[in-house]
Amino acid sequence: MATVKQKITLNASRDIPFNKLMLSQSNVRRIKRGETIEDLAASIGRRGLLQSLNVRPVLDGEGNETGMFEVPAGGRRYRALELLIKRKRMVKTEPVPCVVTNADSEVPIEEDSLAENFQREGLHPLDMFRAFQTLHDQGASHEEIAARFFVSATFVQQRLRLAKVSPKLHDIYGQDGMKLDQLMAFTVADDHARQEQVWEALEHSWSKEPHQIRRMLTETTVRASDRRALFVGVEAYVAAGGVMLRDLFEADNGGWLQDPVLLDRLVCDKLKSIADEIAAEGWKWIVVDVDLPYGHGHGLRALAGTPTDLTEAERAQREALRKEYDRLEAEYCEADELPDEVDQRLGEIESALEALESRPMIYDAAEIARAGVFISIDRDGNLVIDRGHVRPEDEATQAVGGDSAQPCGATGSEDGSDDLSVRGPTITIGAQASEPEEDEGDTIKPLPERLVIELTAHRTLALRNAVAENQHVAITALLHRLVLDTFGQRSATGCVEAFIRHVHLPAQAADLKDSPAAKAVDERHAAWKGDIPLGDDQTLWIWLESLDEASRQALLAHCVSYGINALFERPNPYGSGVSQRGLDQRLREADRLSLATGLDMVAAGWRPTVANYLGRVTKSRILEAVREGAGEQAAQLIDHLKKGDMAKEAERLLADSGWLPEPLRLTAHDAPAMQPDKGEEGDLPEFLASDDEDDSVAADEVTAHAVAAE
């Protein structure tokens, strides 16, 4: 016969005067978690008591009820009610809704407290968002909602921002298909279709971190920290109709500008206006670019101008600033740490003095007529105007009439003529070399020649810095050259044949000028240039003689480094340019110097990116790089992607892998050996070789000069 299970009976509920209640010592909650009793009391004062107290009768020594009840579960509510009584907002005899458990219950009293807290389930964030959204739709502001639930207005804004996410992604999150921080990452863009597209691309990927979602959603935007945005100003961009994207959940450094075309137009217009003003000074040419290439002034003569004199008011201001600076330094010279306001004032004085010392230069009018100006933007968005550079072909020319700046990309004169002598200054913004489109296929095709030149330009600059920092290697390299000249068959052309020819980098990636090596070389050169007494040969000789031995060796290493040439270039068997033998010798010596200095291009700051490598080679080469740097499994994860997406994913996968393309590797056997022209023996290096004759880059399609990107 089946046993009938006894049906449960729920505990009775009743209203008990507050003065008949007392806290139980059996409450398991001992540690405060930061919730304030004041907030809970304010909530009860607004809404009433939404949850009853759990109580048990208090028994005397003989087991009889005393009329008092202890509260094992609901201690915070009890204290909040107690606070309302102290503030005269409730009488102490106010009936309190309570659920009464029998005093002789088999369930221990501690279990009541534990069960109420342990089995409690927090509100799902999506339910919270929808509830906030309902209140907001009913007319409540962010601040009002925040005040009602004792949270910050930012917290409410963040939850309401989830409304920007596609309802389809809401459903996926509600079914635990994604995490909250992933859902939050989608709020940086409003396009639901794009959000869904990004999730579909990442859903089955092993990497779908929030930063990856944000990157994919903002890949067509420009960061507010970009030099162009800093130069124009976000306010000007918004005033022109530009749209900003902001992330309330993460630090976004000002957000993203959603219209790069508008931003570039504003940059172009502002630069053009500046060029117009400078053209009125009478310069022959003006070159404007957002990011001028490294070594753009190579081969040009810099004019020697004189700074303008200070006015009487400026001299008085400078003297007053210097006295104030000296007074503050003397007053706080023994202080371990400067007060914030004093430290700030000293910084302001230093900036003001620097501005007074950085005077505009005055140039000879005849020199201005044959010289030009470079205008660019530095990495912090500041305008950089570099006046007074004379091209070799203009050294003997006469001054021409004043030029005026023309629209971005314009090269002709106002009257339509093409006479070089009357052309206005040219403004070029962001002109970069373009690479030919790849053909699909699994064949490992040769690296484009221009890409090899750019990669070896990176290596050349890093090698210059490495040699300059290693005096022993620099002196050895110079001695090696002198011994060859002394004991070889080369004829002397001067008193001392040894010389340094500053090697120009004809083709280079946009990021070369910002590389650690470029900055180190430039800073070292500027420091020496500020000390060396140039202009008089005898004075220079005396100064060099007076240097201590360590300084002489450091200067020698720096000068030798400027003659380093590890560039690949197409050999010419007909006498003009470098021969195959000369190129082989150059690259062998570059490998030797790399090994001697311990040059590591990874340590020198080179990383494979879409711009400097991965977007410039075929899919098969991208996959080969990922296999070598991140493993076969990583390559299989991206082999189905289109080339653009594959290159971006490969950049992320290889970021910290230490992978290098063949032209940048240290091992000597990887030195390129170039394919000769017809009639000369030799083979292409592995990274330029191809079994398919049609895959090679045609000679007439390769140029060492930059091609403006469309």
Short mmCIF file of all heavy atoms in Angstrom, two decimals, residues 225-258:
data_model
loop_
_atom_site.label_atom_id
_atom_site.label_comp_id
_atom_site.label_asym_id
_atom_site.label_seq_id
_atom_site.Cartn_x
_atom_site.Cartn_y
_atom_site.Cartn_z
N SER A 225 42.05 60.30 -29.36
CA SER A 225 43.46 60.56 -29.07
C SER A 225 44.32 60.58 -30.32
O SER A 225 45.53 60.82 -30.24
CB SER A 225 43.99 59.49 -28.10
OG SER A 225 43.81 58.19 -28.63
N ASP A 226 43.73 60.34 -31.50
CA ASP A 226 44.47 60.40 -32.75
C ASP A 226 44.97 61.83 -32.98
O ASP A 226 44.32 62.81 -32.62
CB ASP A 226 43.55 59.97 -33.90
CG ASP A 226 44.27 59.92 -35.24
OD1 ASP A 226 44.33 60.96 -35.93
OD2 ASP A 226 44.77 58.84 -35.58
N ARG A 227 46.14 61.94 -33.60
CA ARG A 227 46.74 63.27 -33.81
C ARG A 227 45.83 64.18 -34.62
O ARG A 227 45.79 65.40 -34.39
CB ARG A 227 48.11 63.13 -34.47
CG ARG A 227 48.10 62.69 -35.92
CD ARG A 227 49.49 62.62 -36.49
NE ARG A 227 50.22 61.50 -35.94
CZ ARG A 227 51.54 61.33 -36.11
NH1 ARG A 227 52.23 62.22 -36.77
NH2 ARG A 227 52.15 60.29 -35.61
N ARG A 228 45.09 63.62 -35.57
CA ARG A 228 44.19 64.46 -36.37
C ARG A 228 43.05 65.02 -35.53
O ARG A 228 42.69 66.19 -35.65
CB ARG A 228 43.63 63.63 -37.53
CG ARG A 228 44.66 63.20 -38.56
CD ARG A 228 44.10 62.16 -39.50
NE ARG A 228 43.79 60.92 -38.81
CZ ARG A 228 43.09 59.92 -39.32
NH1 ARG A 228 42.57 60.03 -40.53
NH2 ARG A 228 42.88 58.82 -38.63
N ALA A 229 42.49 64.17 -34.65
CA ALA A 229 41.40 64.63 -33.79
C ALA A 229 41.90 65.68 -32.80
O ALA A 229 41.21 66.66 -32.52
CB ALA A 229 40.78 63.45 -33.05
N LEU A 230 43.10 65.47 -32.26
CA LEU A 230 43.66 66.44 -31.33
C LEU A 230 43.95 67.77 -32.03
O LEU A 230 43.79 68.85 -31.45
CB LEU A 230 44.94 65.89 -30.71
CG LEU A 230 44.78 64.66 -29.80
CD1 LEU A 230 46.15 64.12 -29.41
CD2 LEU A 230 43.96 65.01 -28.57
N PHE A 231 44.38 67.70 -33.29
CA PHE A 231 44.71 68.90 -34.05
C PHE A 231 43.46 69.73 -34.35
O PHE A 231 43.43 70.95 -34.15
CB PHE A 231 45.41 68.50 -35.34
CG PHE A 231 45.71 69.65 -36.27
CD1 PHE A 231 46.59 70.66 -35.90
CD2 PHE A 231 45.12 69.71 -37.51
CE1 PHE A 231 46.86 71.70 -36.76
CE2 PHE A 231 45.38 70.76 -38.37
CZ PHE A 231 46.26 71.76 -37.99
N VAL A 232 42.41 69.07 -34.81
CA VAL A 232 41.17 69.77 -35.17
C VAL A 232 40.37 70.12 -33.92
O VAL A 232 39.80 71.21 -33.81
CB VAL A 232 40.33 68.91 -36.14
CG1 VAL A 232 38.96 69.52 -36.36
CG2 VAL A 232 41.06 68.76 -37.46
N GLY A 233 40.31 69.20 -32.97
CA GLY A 233 39.49 69.38 -31.78
C GLY A 233 38.15 68.67 -31.95
O GLY A 233 37.48 68.82 -32.98
N VAL A 234 37.78 67.89 -30.93
CA VAL A 234 36.52 67.16 -31.00
C VAL A 234 35.34 68.12 -31.09
O VAL A 234 34.35 67.85 -31.79
CB VAL A 234 36.38 66.23 -29.77
CG1 VAL A 234 34.99 65.62 -29.71
CG2 VAL A 234 37.45 65.15 -29.79
N GLU A 235 35.46 69.28 -30.43
CA GLU A 235 34.35 70.24 -30.47
C GLU A 235 34.10 70.72 -31.89
O GLU A 235 32.94 70.82 -32.33
CB GLU A 235 34.66 71.44 -29.56
CG GLU A 235 34.80 71.10 -28.09
CD GLU A 235 36.16 70.52 -27.74
OE1 GLU A 235 37.04 70.49 -28.65
OE2 GLU A 235 36.35 70.09 -26.59
N ALA A 236 35.18 71.01 -32.63
CA ALA A 236 35.03 71.46 -34.02
C ALA A 236 34.44 70.35 -34.89
O ALA A 236 33.63 70.60 -35.78
CB ALA A 236 36.38 71.92 -34.57
N TYR A 237 34.86 69.12 -34.63
CA TYR A 237 34.34 67.97 -35.39
C TYR A 237 32.85 67.80 -35.15
O TYR A 237 32.07 67.62 -36.10
CB TYR A 237 35.12 66.72 -34.98
CG TYR A 237 34.48 65.41 -35.40
CD1 TYR A 237 34.61 64.92 -36.69
CD2 TYR A 237 33.74 64.66 -34.49
CE1 TYR A 237 34.04 63.72 -37.07
CE2 TYR A 237 33.16 63.46 -34.85
CZ TYR A 237 33.31 63.00 -36.14
OH TYR A 237 32.73 61.81 -36.50
N VAL A 238 32.42 67.89 -33.89
CA VAL A 238 30.99 67.74 -33.57
C VAL A 238 30.19 68.91 -34.16
O VAL A 238 29.09 68.74 -34.68
CB VAL A 238 30.79 67.64 -32.05
CG1 VAL A 238 29.31 67.66 -31.69
CG2 VAL A 238 31.44 66.36 -31.51
N ALA A 239 30.77 70.13 -34.08
CA ALA A 239 30.08 71.30 -34.62
C ALA A 239 29.88 71.18 -36.13
O ALA A 239 28.92 71.74 -36.68
CB ALA A 239 30.87 72.56 -34.29
N ALA A 240 30.77 70.45 -36.80
CA ALA A 240 30.66 70.25 -38.25
C ALA A 240 29.72 69.11 -38.60
O ALA A 240 29.58 68.77 -39.78
CB ALA A 240 32.04 70.00 -38.85
N GLY A 241 29.08 68.52 -37.61
CA GLY A 241 28.12 67.45 -37.87
C GLY A 241 28.66 66.06 -37.62
O GLY A 241 27.99 65.06 -37.92
N GLY A 242 29.86 65.94 -37.05
CA GLY A 242 30.44 64.64 -36.78
C GLY A 242 29.79 63.96 -35.59
O GLY A 242 29.30 64.61 -34.67
N VAL A 243 29.78 62.64 -35.60
CA VAL A 243 29.15 61.84 -34.55
C VAL A 243 30.24 61.16 -33.73
O VAL A 243 31.22 60.65 -34.27
CB VAL A 243 28.21 60.78 -35.15
CG1 VAL A 243 27.60 59.91 -34.05
CG2 VAL A 243 27.11 61.45 -35.97
N MET A 244 30.07 61.20 -32.40
CA MET A 244 31.01 60.57 -31.49
C MET A 244 30.42 59.28 -30.91
O MET A 244 29.22 59.19 -30.68
CB MET A 244 31.35 61.51 -30.33
CG MET A 244 32.14 62.73 -30.71
SD MET A 244 33.82 62.34 -31.22
CE MET A 244 34.46 61.57 -29.71
N LEU A 245 31.27 58.29 -30.71
CA LEU A 245 30.90 57.06 -30.00
C LEU A 245 31.59 57.09 -28.64
O LEU A 245 32.78 57.40 -28.56
CB LEU A 245 31.34 55.83 -30.78
CG LEU A 245 30.71 55.60 -32.15
CD1 LEU A 245 31.30 54.35 -32.79
CD2 LEU A 245 29.21 55.44 -32.03
N ARG A 246 30.86 56.79 -27.58
CA ARG A 246 31.42 56.76 -26.25
C ARG A 246 31.14 55.42 -25.60
O ARG A 246 30.15 54.75 -25.92
CB ARG A 246 30.83 57.88 -25.38
CG ARG A 246 31.13 59.29 -25.85
CD ARG A 246 32.63 59.56 -25.98
NE ARG A 246 33.35 59.29 -24.77
CZ ARG A 246 33.61 60.20 -23.84
NH1 ARG A 246 33.19 61.44 -23.99
NH2 ARG A 246 34.31 59.89 -22.76
N ASP A 247 32.01 55.02 -24.69
CA ASP A 247 31.86 53.78 -23.94
C ASP A 247 31.72 54.12 -22.47
O ASP A 247 32.66 54.61 -21.84
CB ASP A 247 33.08 52.88 -24.17
CG ASP A 247 32.90 51.49 -23.59
OD1 ASP A 247 31.90 51.28 -22.86
OD2 ASP A 247 33.73 50.62 -23.87
N LEU A 248 30.53 53.91 -21.91
CA LEU A 248 30.29 54.23 -20.50
C LEU A 248 30.87 53.18 -19.56
O LEU A 248 30.97 53.41 -18.37
CB LEU A 248 28.78 54.35 -20.24
CG LEU A 248 28.09 55.60 -20.80
CD1 LEU A 248 26.60 55.56 -20.46
CD2 LEU A 248 28.72 56.86 -20.24
N PHE A 249 31.24 52.02 -20.11
CA PHE A 249 31.66 50.92 -19.25
C PHE A 249 33.18 50.82 -19.11
O PHE A 249 33.68 50.16 -18.22
CB PHE A 249 31.12 49.59 -19.80
CG PHE A 249 29.63 49.54 -19.83
CD1 PHE A 249 28.93 49.84 -20.99
CD2 PHE A 249 28.91 49.21 -18.71
CE1 PHE A 249 27.55 49.80 -21.03
CE2 PHE A 249 27.53 49.17 -18.73
CZ PHE A 249 26.85 49.46 -19.89
N GLU A 250 33.92 51.43 -20.02
CA GLU A 250 35.37 51.37 -19.98
C GLU A 250 35.93 52.76 -20.25
O GLU A 250 35.27 53.60 -20.86
CB GLU A 250 35.91 50.39 -21.04
CG GLU A 250 35.51 48.94 -20.82
CD GLU A 250 36.25 48.29 -19.68
OE1 GLU A 250 37.32 48.82 -19.31
OE2 GLU A 250 35.78 47.27 -19.17
N ALA A 251 37.18 53.00 -19.81
CA ALA A 251 37.85 54.25 -20.15
C ALA A 251 38.12 54.27 -21.65
O ALA A 251 38.79 53.37 -22.17
CB ALA A 251 39.16 54.36 -19.37
N ASP A 252 37.56 55.23 -22.36
CA ASP A 252 37.67 55.25 -23.82
C ASP A 252 38.54 56.38 -24.34
O ASP A 252 38.58 56.63 -25.54
CB ASP A 252 36.29 55.31 -24.47
CG ASP A 252 35.50 56.55 -24.04
OD1 ASP A 252 36.10 57.45 -23.41
OD2 ASP A 252 34.30 56.63 -24.34
N ASN A 253 39.24 57.10 -23.43
CA ASN A 253 40.14 58.18 -23.84
C ASN A 253 39.46 59.19 -24.76
O ASN A 253 40.03 59.65 -25.74
CB ASN A 253 41.38 57.62 -24.53
CG ASN A 253 42.24 56.78 -23.61
OD1 ASN A 253 42.39 57.12 -22.43
ND2 ASN A 253 42.78 55.69 -24.11
N GLY A 254 38.23 59.52 -24.44
CA GLY A 254 37.53 60.53 -25.22
C GLY A 254 36.59 59.99 -26.25
O GLY A 254 35.82 60.74 -26.85
N GLY A 255 36.62 58.67 -26.50
CA GLY A 255 35.69 58.07 -27.45
C GLY A 255 36.27 57.93 -28.84
O GLY A 255 37.48 57.99 -29.07
N TRP A 256 35.38 57.74 -29.81
CA TRP A 256 35.76 57.52 -31.21
C TRP A 256 35.00 58.48 -32.11
O TRP A 256 33.81 58.75 -31.90
CB TRP A 256 35.46 56.08 -31.63
CG TRP A 256 36.22 55.04 -30.89
CD1 TRP A 256 37.41 54.48 -31.24
CD2 TRP A 256 35.84 54.39 -29.67
NE1 TRP A 256 37.81 53.55 -30.32
CE2 TRP A 256 36.86 53.46 -29.34
CE3 TRP A 256 34.75 54.51 -28.82
CZ2 TRP A 256 36.80 52.66 -28.21
CZ3 TRP A 256 34.70 53.72 -27.69
CH2 TRP A 256 35.71 52.81 -27.40
N LEU A 257 35.66 58.97 -33.13
CA LEU A 257 35.03 59.80 -34.14
C LEU A 257 34.54 58.89 -35.26
O LEU A 257 35.33 58.14 -35.86
CB LEU A 257 36.01 60.84 -34.69
CG LEU A 257 36.34 62.02 -33.76
CD1 LEU A 257 37.19 61.57 -32.56
CD2 LEU A 257 37.09 63.11 -34.52
N GLN A 258 33.26 58.95 -35.55
CA GLN A 258 32.64 57.97 -36.44
C GLN A 258 32.77 58.33 -37.92
O GLN A 258 32.49 57.51 -38.78
CB GLN A 258 31.15 57.82 -36.08
CG GLN A 258 30.52 56.54 -36.57
CD GLN A 258 29.14 56.33 -36.00
OE1 GLN A 258 28.62 57.16 -35.29
NE2 GLN A 258 28.53 55.21 -36.31
#
